[in-house]
Amino acid sequence: MKNRRSLQTSLIHSNSLDQATGAVSIPIHHATTFHQQDFDQYGDYDYSRSGNPTREALEKTIAELEGGDRGFAFSSGMAAISTCFLLLSRGDHVLVSEEVYGGTYRMITEVLSRFGIEYSFIDMNNLHEVASSIRENTKVIYMETPSNPLLKITDIEGVVKLAKANGCLTFLDNTFMTPLLQRPISLGVDVVLHSATKFLAGHSDVLAGLAVTKNKEVSERLSFLQNSFGAVLGVQDCWLLLRGLKTLHVRIKESSEAALKIARFLDSRDEVEDVYYPGLSHHAGYEIQVRQALGPGAVLSFRLRSENEVRQFVKNVHIPVFAVSLGAVESILSYPAKMSHASMPRAERERRGITDGLLRLSVGIENVDELITDLKHGLNFIKENVITT
Ligand SMILES: *Cc1c(COP(=O)(O)O)cnc(C)c1O
């Protein structure tokens, strides 16, 4: 019965009832150690790094939402991603999407490399390139789709097929989509990763990471690594995340609908050179996105002509916060060239389409007409002042 429930209903009712008392909110178990009733046989919990009832409620919830066997909660998205990379050993090779999140790029190039793990960054949207980049020692293919900040779409099933034919595991960072819009495990992915800091928690007030596994052997190895490395999520944050998840459906629905309206509005304006949003039919990955996901999500990017125009636009737009991060109730406007991709050399950044005119908008749940009026105000300022350079 339980499995046939929609995710919308599961978000409210799965694992949110305390079995011991009937409390409708999971208690926060601060205890780090648990009394053992039986001298010979220990109970379900002994020490909170290894297992804690509050964290377990969250881990069961994300496993159920993603359709996996096991869920794991970590102290940040990077802690989740880094711990999963510990599944690799010296001499292994990993294939990574070249548009991967900056922190993941840093972990691979500056940390894993010191432990003898080899890597190649490739265009994951080109299946021929994926196929020809797989080596004998390739153990993991790492995807992130839609990509950041240009929202490029990877054909998940296409990559999974190549991975399975070559005995590689697949990891997928599902932060931008959440399990409500994209369920990678149903497409054959082995490990799903989240920066739960973003949409899952949703309120810009919790730093957290989640991983979900399907494969039994991988589940057991990751459970061992979570306990060994120890970057688990604290119980207060587990509770905040469980609470945030209850409204995920309404937040995603509202902000995705608004994002589509905003993308169309931006597309209609002469001051905007390009709009990148997988919900627009002219987007390069539109058809794959329609096939593999339930919606385009709430993040879009758009290009103005110059840094100067961006500067004037940002000064004249008042509702979104101007900041890094995404996936919150408040709209967040970011400037990749000076924020997420600031450390990348200009030539490399521009080769990836991250020019000085590019802005990213994570649409929140404010009134969409007011958001559009606000953006219009910023664009009108550019139009009236004709400030191209
Ligand atoms: C933010 C982010 C991360 C890193 O997560 P933290 O919670 O900040 O450690 C990883 N992947 C994507 C796509 C992100 O947006």
Side-chain angles (χ1 to χ4, degrees), residues 76-79 81 101 104 144 148 173 175-176 195-198 207-209 326:
S76 69
M78 280 322 302
I81 292 166
Y101 177 74
T104 309
E144 189 177 314
N148 179 27
D173 184 332
T175 300
F176 272 44
S195 168
T197 311
K198 316 293 168 53
L207 199 63
L326 58 106

